[in-house]
Amino acid sequence: MATFNLTINGTSKQVDVDPSTPVLWVLRDHLDLVGTKFGCGIAQCGACTIHLDGNAVRSCQLPVSAAEGASITTIEGLSENGDHPVQKAWMEHDVPQCGYCQAGQIMTAAALLQQNPNPSEEDIENAMNGNICRCGTYLRIKAAVKTAAQNL
Amino acid sequence: MATLDKKLDRRSFLKVSALAGGGMVLSFSWLAGCKPTPEQALEMPKEWFELNSYIKIGENGAVTLFSPNPEFGSNVKTSMPMILADELDVDWKMVMVEQADFWPQRFERQFTGGSQGIRQGWIPLRTAGATARQMLVNAAAQTWKVPASEITSTAGVLEHKASSKKAGYGEMASLAATLEVPEDVTLKEPKDFKIIGTSKKNVDIEKIVSGKPLFSIDHKVEGMKYAAIVHPPAFGMKLKSFDKSSVSGMPGILDVFSINLFKDDYGRNFFDTTTFPEIVAIVGNSTWEVMQAKKNLAVEWENAPESNFEVAGFGGRPNTKMTVPAGLENTNLHKERMAEYIQKSGNVVRRDGDPEGMFKKAAKIIEKTYAAPFLAHNTMEPMNCFADVKGDRAVIYGPTQAPEFIMNTLSSSLGIPKENIQINLSRMGGGFGRRAYSHHLTEAALISQKIQAPVKMVYTREDDMSSGVYRPTYSATYRAALDENNNLLALHVKAGGIPETPLHANRFPAGAIDHYLAESWQIESNITIGAFRAPRSNFIAAAEQSFLDELAEVMGKDPIDFRLELLKRAETNPVGENNDYDAKRYAGVLELVRDKSNWNTPAPEVHRGVSAYFCHNSYVAEVVDTKIVDSKPVVEKVYAAVDCGIVINPDAAINMGEGAIIDGIGNAFFGELTFENGVPSKTNFDKYRMIRQKETPKSIEVHFVDSKEDPTGLGEPFFPPVFAALANSLYKATGKRYYEQPFAPQLEMQNLKM
Ligand code: FES
Ligand code: FES
């Protein structure tokens, strides 16, 4: 066990956990931020996507010891009132079915648009390819990313 | 106006006060942790008045509707309240939706599966809405001293025109709640629907996009412990022993023990499929710690003996005797055994005319065999459950499609009477049939009972993918007898699987061919299976509709015309009895898809295939357009035409169609689970390939037949036809037929990139 100081959604948090604990489980079990989801645990599905210094990363493969000093954003902190352009586009297109993958999809999309505000069709497909949606809402995801890009 | 002969169970109309003593009211505040938005908070009334199980109205006119069925992504949590709201005649903006808990005394059929939620909920929900409306009208009649028949309602406002009296529902709610429940109510004519048939957003959309806790995996209470499970590594194995000391010193580990899911004398219900009835549980302070301990646990397994038990039939069907054989199974051996069964005669399930005679005198016989592997459901949210069992009371919050079934199991396994067990229904991160088999609830409950503390048990993805309840592996052989002019004389299908047959002997093309033979077979296995989106249909449609395509080609006919000819025959002069489809509606979706896709004039370089299927009471025809781009098969576009009667929520219905089509294309290309010595070859998404953004069709068009028929389901019917539509389209693109799923390995052998 060791103490880690983390910056999450703009607030400092202290946790006392094993250094190998992935940020995913620190968020979910220790900080009650459960919007970040567990899907595979091996960086294959994207359900656990967060932003680390603005980049989309898979929090299931990010040990807490590697996250100190960085700025972490989770779905809960993407916007204050759930009105980030990506979230708004997701509502407009009524993207979700079960909804379980969607926080990860939204975090990946938001990071993409942060870095590339005008993505081509191919850019979107490449960026979103790491996020599985078992319900198959991929077409709406793509459409929502396009809408969000227009409304940035 | 239609007057309804009401069959609704009266118990569901009991006032809440009559039941409130049972301790069940607690359940309503279950998810009270979700803070209402400022707008919602403004609308919160000071007092709620219960008009019936589904509806309560506040003094300010706010309406809460309870959505009875578990939500796994098919959007019933929006569409069921839409049905209530329409008959209640309220403004959708005034509606708040709450997920009902499992409460069989108040709600009917809280089961999500078989695409039956809307179909079977249609009349009860409308009746509940209309009854509540009538009670509000009656309250106004009493207050205004005018005849109820002269009072009209519009969007939550009651009016008596002659006396110019008006009142909101909120003003009449307290009186209405005390009135007698009317016996016969009049339901709306479909032309008068205001909410049904209009697109409404998912009622949970804001919570989903902002990461609010909605799933049981997100649930947490003070003092809650975390649990992981360890199950045998192979089908055909069971627990021999484990060494608690191998992990008990690890950080955060509190306890290690084994649990037995069933009491010896328990009679299994239909959904009690459990692969590993005895497992090891590891309890600790956090998910990560129990997952670490899981890797270190010293445990010994041994071969399981053959077991025999009886399982209750579904929906009142007779019990079946199950034999689960001993041994460690292999996919190669499965294939060999299936090849033997294809050669042998099966059980004749239907025979029309003289098929054997026709095959003897045929000028030409076409015979093709189709196959598909086991599939894992791979719901995005792994199996998990929260349970709090103390003394003789249990609270369970977990993802289940079938609470009424698991209630029996829970009661027996815990030794706690049903009335002391509360099952709260969580939103599920996918279901696809998998969560009708809810033994993960029993596991969590037994763990909690042992430690007498609240616990959340979570499967790893590996646990989830390797714990069975799969889509079975199937095979089907189709034979057609043709005369010298290529007229179809007879059709023969022989289909089977491990461990169940996919055959639906009375479905199309039965009824359209004079000489028809259907045989089935099955081979026992210890690999457990369960319902998977359109069970059996999901394979037999692929085989049948691929074969009809090949047959049409040999006969020199357009594949749509050929199907329509057969359907015409089935409509005008059907062969045999018990044909369980409506040939006219079947033909209707083929005609619609032909029209919408401009079937005869495809876009340049596009290769198209068609397929149609009827299952779960709905008809779907699909056209798939593929292109080969840089040696890669690309699905350009899919057109779907569907007849599901009245469409409740069109945009959500389209979403469901898109999802099922994408799911089908993914499974057709990649879906496969194989076994070696009982061990599944894939346990996570690095090996188990799922369809992703890049393989998704570029566009999908969904068209509904304009219909006034009562609605039927949509979760499943879009899925089965897409396999053959894809295969038939790929045939046009590559010149090869695709008989074996998944298609990717064969496409790769043709030097195409997958
Ligand atoms: S849970 Fe991290 S990528 Fe799947
Ligand atoms: S919406 Fe269900 S997994 Fe994406």
Side-chain angles (χ1 to χ4, degrees):
Chain A
M1 292 295 208
T3 303
F4 296 93
N5 291 300
L6 303 171
T7 309
I8 298 172
N9 300 331
T11 338
S12 349
K13 300 272 180 191
Q14 209 176 58
V15 288
D16 190 27
V17 294
D18 186 275
S20 71
T21 311
V23 168
L24 168 66
W25 297 113
V26 172
L27 294 169
R28 293 186 55 82
D29 289 358
H30 302 275
L31 298 172
D32 294 342
L33 291 168
V34 292
T36 306
K37 295 293 192 268
F38 167 58
C40 69
I42 59 164
Q44 289 291 318
C45 77
C48 65
T49 306
I50 58 166
H51 295 173
L52 188 74
D53 290 331
N55 296 309
V57 298
R58 310 297 185 222
S59 65
C60 67
Q61 289 290 299
L62 177 70
V64 63
S65 54
E68 259 195 323
S71 158
I72 292 171
T73 307
T74 69
I75 185 74
E76 291 91 346
L78 184 62
S79 64
E80 196 130 312
N81 298 311
D83 55 359
H84 184 281
V86 173
Q87 289 168 315
K88 277 164 69 179
W90 244 250
M91 293 192 249
E92 184 182 328
H93 290 272
D94 211 18
V95 174
Q97 283 184 30
C98 81
Y100 192 78
C101 73
Q102 301 295 346
Q105 307 274 4
I106 289 169
M107 294 308 280
T108 303
L112 163 71
L113 295 179
Q114 181 74 31
Q115 277 142 24
N116 178 1
N118 249 319
S120 65
E121 182 103 3
E122 209 183 333
D123 293 338
I124 299 175
E125 286 179 14
N126 284 332
M128 302 307 299
N129 210 50
N131 288 72
I132 296 174
C133 175
R134 173 65 182 89
C135 299
T137 62
Y138 295 120
L139 281 172
R140 283 168 190 247
I141 288 169
K142 201 199 278 181
V145 175
K146 288 182 192 166
T147 299
Q150 278 159 19
N151 297 335
L152 273 186
Chain B
M1 289 250 235
T3 305
L4 185 82
D5 167 22
K6 184 149 40 61
K7 301 216 175 61
L8 193 58
D9 181 353
R10 304 303 303 169
R11 283 178 311 162
S12 32
F13 281 119
L14 289 177
K15 300 280 163 41
V16 67
S17 51
L19 285 163
M24 298 287 237
V25 275
L26 273 178
S27 56
F28 281 90
S29 57
W30 185 254
L31 286 177
C34 320
K35 236 189 9 220
T37 63
E39 283 159 58
Q40 282 172 338
L42 279 180
E43 290 169 10
M44 281 295 176
K46 288 187 206 67
E47 203 176 344
W48 286 110
F49 302 98
E50 295 250 356
L51 298 189
N52 58 45
S53 307
Y54 298 91
I55 298 168
K56 56 182 186 180
I57 295 183
E59 87 290 338
N60 65 347
V63 179
T64 292
L65 301 179
F66 288 92
S67 185
N69 285 19
E71 173 65 275
F72 66 5
S74 61
N75 213 20
V76 284
K77 194 174 170 184
T78 305
S79 50
M80 289 186 135
M82 283 173 70
I83 298 170
L84 286 165
D86 207 322
E87 290 286 356
L88 179 60
D89 201 3
V90 287
D91 185 343
W92 184 246
K93 282 203 226 62
M94 297 299 281
V95 169
M96 290 172 228
V97 174
E98 239 178 88
Q99 174 67 57
D101 299 320
F102 176 59
W103 197 340
Q105 295 83 356
R106 301 197 90 198
F107 301 105
E108 298 181 54
R109 198 185 178 276
Q110 291 183 281
F111 178 82
T112 295
S115 299
Q116 295 301 304
I118 293 297
R119 178 172 174 255
Q120 299 201 29
W122 180 238
I123 296 298
L125 291 168
R126 290 176 67 196
T127 307
T131 304
R133 193 199 78 95
Q134 191 59 50
M135 288 160 77
L136 291 157
V137 167
N138 293 350
Q142 199 172 309
T143 308
W144 297 335
K145 305 204 170 37
V146 300
S149 59
E150 291 174 11
I151 295 174
T152 56
S153 68
T154 325
V157 177
L158 298 156
E159 187 175 6
H160 184 247
K161 288 221 173 70
S163 63
S164 311
K165 289 211 166 67
K166 257 193 186 187
Y169 280 5
E171 296 166 64
M172 293 297 164
S174 70
L175 176 59
T178 65
L179 298 182
E180 208 175 301
V181 177
E183 278 293 331
D184 289 303
V185 289
T186 310
L187 301 183
K188 281 184 174 178
E189 293 291 338
K191 68 173 172 42
D192 298 323
F193 289 147
K194 292 200 181 74
I195 296 171
I196 293 165
T198 64
S199 292
K200 299 286 178 233
K201 302 264 190 247
N202 187 323
V203 294
D204 279 337
I205 185 81
E206 285 172 40
K207 290 182 185 148
I208 292 170
V209 303
S210 55
K212 298 285 184 303
L214 275 173
F215 304 91
S216 58
I217 203 171
D218 301 337
H219 192 63
K220 189 177 181 181
V221 299
E222 200 56 46
M224 184 182 85
K225 307 298 176 205
Y226 295 80
I229 57 116
V230 181
H231 70 61
F235 293 85
M237 296 200 101
K238 69 181 191 57
L239 180 65
K240 185 178 178 200
S241 65
F242 63 95
D243 178 8
K244 191 172 167 173
S245 69
S246 60
V247 298
S248 49
M250 289 182 74
I253 298 308
L254 301 171
D255 206 351
V256 183
F257 48 86
S258 65
I259 52 172
N260 257 308
L261 286 201
F262 298 117
K263 288 263 160 65
D264 289 341
D265 60 348
Y266 173 65
R268 294 201 191 195
N269 72 60
F270 184 77
F271 289 108
D272 275 326
T273 302
T274 303
T275 312
F276 304 116
E278 190 180 14
I279 57 174
V280 182
I282 302 173
V283 180
N285 289 329
S286 74
T287 313
W288 182 246
E289 285 167 326
V290 294
M291 282 183 178
Q292 294 307 101
K294 193 171 145 56
K295 291 184 203 151
N296 278 16
L297 182 74
V299 55
E300 280 190 78
W301 312 103
E302 62 189 353
N303 288 342
E306 177 183 297
S307 65
N308 293 283
F309 47 86
E310 232 176 80
V311 178
F314 186 53
R317 292 191 190 100
N319 288 6
T320 45
K321 287 206 169 34
M322 286 274 301
T323 299
V324 176
L328 305 178
E329 300 182 19
N330 288 290
T331 297
N332 285 343
L333 233 65
H334 284 164
K335 287 188 178 170
E336 281 173 27
R337 293 202 63 199
M338 288 170 89
E340 286 166 26
Y341 274 73
I342 291 166
Q343 299 308 322
K344 296 197 280 198
S345 333
N347 305 318
V348 174
V349 190
R350 173 162 170 164
R351 178 187 276 113
D352 294 318
D354 176 22
E356 289 88 349
M358 288 295 145
F359 274 95
K360 271 197 203 107
K361 67 179 209 198
K364 194 189 285 175
I365 292 174
I366 307 169
E367 174 175 331
K368 299 293 169 188
T369 294
Y370 301 82
F374 283 98
L375 296 175
H377 293 77
N378 294 339
T379 59
M380 212 61 221
E381 176 194 26
M383 297 307 133
N384 70 86
C385 184
F386 168 86
D388 188 0
V389 183
K390 279 194 204 92
D392 68 346
R393 302 195 85 81
V395 176
I396 314 290
Y397 181 53
T400 175
Q401 295 174 226
E404 66 186 274
F405 290 90
I406 201 65
M407 178 59 102
N408 296 323
T409 326
L410 283 166
S411 178
S412 156
S413 301
L414 294 170
I416 294 178
K418 286 187 200 176
E419 54 274 22
N420 287 2
I421 300 174
Q422 186 178 329
I423 301 177
N424 298 305
L425 303 177
S426 62
R427 188 178 186 89
M428 290 172 262
F432 311 100
R434 174 62 183 84
R435 294 194 223 262
Y437 311 83
S438 313
H439 58 261
H440 44 288
L441 272 61
T442 318
E443 290 167 2
L446 287 169
I447 295 169
S448 175
Q449 185 174 46
K450 172 88 199 231
I451 63 170
Q452 290 289 303
V455 74
K456 181 165 67 183
M457 178 208 66
V458 177
Y459 278 23
T460 60
R461 175 58 58 192
E462 290 78 7
D463 295 330
D464 191 279
M465 216 180 277
S466 60
S467 60
V469 196
Y470 303 123
R471 198 287 298 267
T473 179
Y474 294 123
S475 157
T477 302
Y478 278 85
R479 294 165 72 226
L482 301 172
D483 69 12
E484 51 287 348
N485 298 319
N486 280 331
N487 292 311
L488 180 59
L489 299 175
L491 193 92
H492 174 201
V493 52
K494 185 161 61 180
I498 304 175
E500 67 160 19
T501 177
L503 188 69
H504 286 288
N506 293 325
R507 289 205 184 145
F508 181 77
I513 299 165
D514 287 307
H515 307 279
Y516 170 81
L517 178 64
E519 295 175 83
S520 79
W521 52 268
Q522 51 201 50
I523 300 171
E524 284 167 354
S525 170
N526 57 32
I527 298 171
T528 53
I529 58 148
F532 184 111
R533 195 172 219 165
R536 300 168 288 284
S537 305
N538 60 36
F539 169 72
I540 203 71
E544 169 203 301
Q545 291 289 311
S546 297
F547 187 70
L548 290 185
D549 202 71
E550 194 159 351
L551 194 52
E553 189 184 34
V554 173
M555 294 168 73
K557 294 190 174 183
D558 171 82
I560 293 184
D561 290 346
F562 175 50
R563 287 170 173 84
L564 290 175
E565 275 171 31
L566 291 172
L567 286 162
K568 193 84 214 159
R569 169 69 203 275
E571 185 194 335
T572 52
N573 180 20
V575 181
E577 318 239 304
N578 304 327
N579 299 322
D580 63 0
Y581 60 94
D582 177 332
K584 211 172 150 124
R585 290 180 79 181
Y586 218 134
V589 291
L590 272 162
E591 284 158 0
L592 185 62
V593 88
R594 176 171 66 184
D595 180 36
K596 295 293 180 187
S597 67
N598 287 315
W599 172 249
N600 291 315
T601 47
E605 288 161 54
V606 145
H607 308 279
R608 45 181 30 171
V610 67
S611 164
Y613 204 66
F614 163 69
C615 68
H616 298 87
N617 315 96
S618 296
Y619 300 80
V620 180
E622 287 164 358
V623 167
V624 167
D625 284 354
T626 56
K627 248 185 189 173
I628 307 291
V629 183
D630 299 333
S631 303
K632 204 175 157 42
V634 173
V635 181
E636 273 294 309
K637 185 154 189 171
V638 182
Y639 301 85
V642 51
D643 183 350
C644 59
I646 291 168
V647 181
I648 310 298
N649 190 358
D651 187 50
I654 290 170
N655 196 347
M656 182 86 329
E658 292 167 353
I661 286 166
I662 291 168
D663 186 7
I665 290 172
N667 277 300
F669 274 140
F670 313 119
E672 181 181 39
L673 194 61
T674 58
F675 300 86
E676 219 168 300
N677 295 320
V679 180
S681 56
K682 302 170 187 177
T683 58
N684 207 327
F685 298 129
D686 51 343
K687 298 221 175 69
Y688 199 111
R689 188 162 172 193
M690 309 287 288
I691 190 166
R692 290 172 183 267
Q693 186 64 253
K694 283 190 196 170
E695 297 101 14
T696 297
K698 300 297 164 210
S699 68
I700 297 175
E701 265 182 36
V702 177
H703 300 276
F704 296 98
V705 170
D706 190 19
S707 170
K708 295 284 171 277
E709 301 271 344
D710 284 355
T712 51
L714 276 182
E716 286 161 307
F718 280 106
F719 186 64
V722 75
F723 293 79
L726 178 66
N728 297 339
S729 161
L730 289 171
Y731 165 67
K732 291 283 183 53
T734 69
K736 292 263 187 287
R737 293 276 176 190
Y738 298 83
Y739 301 105
E740 196 164 338
Q741 295 172 29
F743 303 150
Q746 187 186 333
L747 288 159
E748 277 164 350
M749 289 206 324
Q750 294 169 249
N751 291 321
L752 292 167
K753 286 187 266 180
M754 287 307 298

